[in-house]
């Protein structure tokens, strides 16, 4: 079977779903192919921080009702080092802007519901397998669904299928550059059934490494500590995990995280990655397909939304006025924002982790940088304005 649409989208993550929704509001038809089931994408716990601009966009689109009821708005973060905790206020240093703690899978649920209510074509359990005629004006994507092979023919094909994309490799090898940096540490993450330990996120640097206290809901908390990326969760009993958190988060005033049943344990590697350009002819890439940031800056989800916001505008100009200026400028404009986020995420990671093999001198430099961020309004503003994010492009 061959389907036909204006914009073919591979992947129903934040990038693919948001793009499809924005196009729908502009009267442009799209079809999404998603390899996983609806249940799976709606239950995979990943990101949790929404930048100010993403929240504003969701509000303008009328997609903010459940988020407003269930999210937690944060007006700053805590930085903890040398046994002391310092508050970095966004109200003071980012002109009153804030972030929202709202789990990515809840954001996905809202978008899927809005898309299906508008009659969208989302093909779940439809795995894209090959891009056909990538150079033509009607690229096609081959996909497998219910054991049968199908094709989707479109005017434009957008890869929103994450790092292991099948769309990105369809760009000719001599026209693309992939820049990557792999960090020598990973994050050991847990989900714990407990009330929040803190009213705002705590980023901690201890002599032995990094820890983060985050949240997903009033009853479910997300916590991470730095680990060897090749470690195995099987090596970590609950007691050993809590002992690690207590040590990395210890303060002079005896603060302790709230504990409870650990319902999930995982290890993620950390890397930075950018693919340039983000367009080849009628093929586009967005979100994690085009770039990965280490999670320390909490930028992945928002970058995905910012990409497709730009791309949707370019496609609107094309279908409404027949001009390609927006599409031609997409890659350059998106990459400007991507590189700012890449730098910020690398900087936060460098400041807050113990790097294997790094000496005491390096650690003292990190502590000095943290003290500067907490003590200087200019340095605090640098962190705050990057953390809450710049206006949507
Ligand atoms: C553990 C973890 C914690 C994170 N924490 C944060 C955070 O706190 N803040 C933040 O901003 N970011 C965070 N991120 C990053 C954030 O989750 C991603 O940047 C975000 O999901 C990117 O959205 P996307 O739509 O580009 O890609 P994805 O969400 O990866 O979506 C891609 C979709 O494509 C589908 N797909 C893949 N291949 C195919 C195929 N061949 N055919 C059809 N479908 C396919 C996948 O099933 C998937 O649903 C975190 C990521 C992880 C893994």
């Amino acid at each position: 079977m061959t389907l036909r649409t204006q914009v073919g989208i591979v992947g129903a993550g934040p990038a693919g779903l948001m793009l499809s929704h924005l196009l729908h509001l502009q009267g442009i038809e799209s079809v999404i192919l998603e390899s996983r089931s609806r249940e799976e994408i709606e239950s995979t716990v990943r990101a949790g921080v929404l930048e100010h601009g993403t929240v504003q966009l969701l509000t303008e689109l009328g997609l903010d009702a459940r988020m407003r009821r269930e999210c937690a708005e944060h007006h700053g973060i805590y930085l903890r080092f040398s046994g002391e905790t310092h508050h970095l206020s966004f109200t003071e240093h980012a002109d009153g802007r804030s972030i929202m703690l709202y789990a990515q899978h809840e954001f996905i649920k809202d978008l899927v519901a809005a898309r299906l209510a508008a009659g969208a074509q989302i093909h779940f359990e439809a795995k894209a397998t090959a891009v056909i005629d990538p150079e033509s004006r009607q690229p096609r994507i081959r996909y497998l669904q219910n054991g049968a092979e199908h094709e989707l023919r479109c005017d434009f094909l957008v890869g929103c299928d994450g790092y292991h994309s099948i769309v990105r490799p369809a760009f000719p090898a001599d026209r693309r550059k992939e820049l990557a940096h792999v960090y020598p540490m990973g994050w050991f993450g847990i989900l714990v059934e407990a009330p929040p330990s803190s009213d705002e996120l705590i980023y901690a640097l201890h002599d032995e490494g990094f820890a983060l206290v985050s949240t997903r809901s009033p009853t479910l908390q997300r916590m991470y500590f730095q680990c060897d990326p090749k470690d195995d969760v099987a090596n970590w009993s609950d007691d050993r995990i809590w002992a690690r958190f207590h040590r990395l988060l210890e303060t002079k005033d005896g603060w302790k995280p709230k504990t409870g049943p650990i319902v999930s344990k995982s290890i993620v590697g950390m890397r930075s990655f950018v693919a340039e350009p983000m367009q080849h002819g009628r093929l586009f890439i967005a979100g994690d397909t085009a770039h990965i940031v280490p999670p320390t800056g909490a930028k992945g989800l928002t970058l995905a939304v910012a990409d497709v916001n730009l791309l949707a505008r370019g496609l609107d100009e094309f279908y409404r006025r027949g001009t390609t200026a927006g599409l031609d400028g997409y890659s350059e404009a998106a990459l400007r924002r991507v590189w700012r986020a890449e730098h910020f995420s690398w900087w936060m990671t460098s400041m807050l982790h113990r790097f294997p093999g790094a000496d005491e001198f390096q650690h003292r430099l990190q502590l000095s940088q943290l003290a500067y961020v907490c003590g200087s309004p200019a340095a605090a503003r640098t962190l705050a304005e990057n953390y809450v994010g710049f206006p949507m492009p």
Side-chain angles (χ1 to χ4, degrees):
M1 186 175 73
T2 300
L3 287 178
R4 165 85 186 85
T5 190
Q6 289 177 303
V7 181
I9 300 171
V10 187
L17 288 165
M18 182 58 93
L19 176 61
S20 173
H21 194 70
L22 291 168
L23 293 177
H24 160 73
L25 296 176
Q26 293 160 185
I28 301 167
E29 188 192 74
S30 67
V31 171
I32 304 180
L33 304 175
E34 167 57 53
S35 56
R36 295 183 295 157
S37 66
R38 179 177 178 185
E39 293 69 33
E40 209 179 335
I41 65 165
E42 290 188 344
S43 59
T44 307
V45 176
R46 295 184 73 183
V49 175
L50 300 184
E51 277 185 6
H52 187 72
T54 309
V55 174
Q56 276 185 319
L57 180 65
L58 292 173
T59 308
E60 281 161 27
L61 299 177
L63 290 173
D64 61 325
R66 208 165 66 88
M67 178 190 75
R68 300 255 171 222
R69 277 198 311 275
E70 297 179 14
C71 75
E73 184 172 8
H74 287 193
H75 298 276
I77 54 170
Y78 295 104
L79 292 169
R80 181 174 291 179
F81 53 98
S82 307
E84 286 176 356
T85 309
H86 306 258
H87 188 241
L88 190 137
S89 163
F90 299 152
T91 311
E92 192 179 336
H93 299 295
D95 306 323
R97 285 173 289 155
S98 59
I99 52 159
M100 292 284 191
L101 272 284
Y102 189 55
Q104 177 168 324
H105 63 283
E106 301 296 342
F107 173 91
I108 295 272
K109 280 184 204 165
D110 295 345
L111 274 168
V112 169
R115 289 286 43 240
L116 294 179
Q121 290 197 64
I122 309 178
H123 293 263
F124 293 105
E125 298 177 68
K127 185 176 171 57
T129 53
V131 178
I132 321 283
D133 284 343
E135 307 287 337
S136 83
R137 292 171 66 81
Q138 291 271 296
R140 283 171 290 142
I141 185 107
R142 187 167 292 151
Y143 64 99
L144 270 175
Q145 194 175 27
N146 298 325
E149 205 164 71
H150 307 277
E151 277 187 16
L152 173 66
R153 180 190 295 274
C154 40
D155 298 340
F156 297 96
L157 177 59
V158 187
C160 299
D161 48 344
Y163 179 70
H164 301 287
S165 169
I166 68 141
V167 178
R168 192 176 68 238
F171 288 27
D174 60 349
R175 302 265 182 87
R176 66 185 152 96
K177 202 182 249 182
E178 296 190 352
L179 302 126
H181 179 74
V182 177
Y183 299 83
M185 75 285 280
W187 276 16
F188 193 107
I190 63 163
L191 281 170
V192 53
E193 284 175 352
S197 291
S198 169
D199 59 339
E200 288 174 345
L201 270 58
I202 304 172
Y203 285 79
L205 174 64
H206 184 272
D207 288 357
E208 293 177 17
F210 167 79
L212 172 63
V213 178
S214 183
T215 181
R216 287 294 177 270
S217 77
T219 53
L220 193 64
Q221 310 314 315
R222 190 70 157 146
M223 297 175 68
Y224 298 97
F225 59 78
Q226 166 180 352
C227 68
D228 179 341
K230 296 194 198 78
D231 206 340
D232 186 336
V233 292
N235 296 331
W236 289 83
S237 67
D238 292 9
D239 287 348
R240 187 175 173 215
I241 289 170
W242 286 121
R244 185 85 185 133
F245 276 123
H246 282 128
R247 184 137 180 75
L248 295 179
L249 291 164
E250 68 189 7
T251 56
K252 290 176 183 159
D253 63 8
W255 183 95
K256 296 257 183 301
K258 293 202 171 71
T259 58
I262 295 175
V263 294
S264 154
K265 302 177 189 178
S266 59
I267 291 177
V268 286
M270 290 171 73
R271 79 178 131 216
S272 302
F273 168 82
V274 181
E276 295 180 338
M278 290 167 63
Q279 175 200 5
H280 176 71
R282 294 202 162 212
L283 308 188
F284 292 82
I285 52 176
D288 276 16
T289 309
H291 38 76
I292 301 282
V293 281
T296 330
K299 292 278 164 245
L301 196 161
T302 311
L303 274 184
V305 173
D307 285 351
V308 298
N309 195 42
L310 260 178
L311 184 53
R313 232 179 14 246
L315 289 165
D316 186 45
E317 281 171 26
F318 176 83
Y319 282 109
R320 205 180 292 273
R321 296 201 287 274
T323 59
T324 61
L327 292 177
D328 296 342
Y330 163 71
S331 181
E332 197 182 326
L335 284 166
R336 260 198 303 277
R337 189 181 179 96
V338 167
W339 278 109
R340 177 85 303 279
E342 289 287 350
H343 176 266
F344 177 66
S345 305
W346 165 85
W347 178 70
M348 288 283 280
T349 305
S350 307
M351 180 169 68
L352 286 160
H353 291 74
R354 288 307 303 261
F355 283 68
D359 55 17
E360 186 59 24
F361 184 82
Q362 300 286 338
H363 187 48
R364 294 300 176 93
L365 291 179
Q366 290 175 311
L367 294 176
S368 170
Q369 178 71 56
L370 281 162
Y372 180 48
V373 165
C374 296
S376 152
R381 184 172 181 89
T382 296
L383 193 154
E385 73 170 357
N386 278 279
Y387 200 99
V388 301
F390 297 96
M392 268 288 148

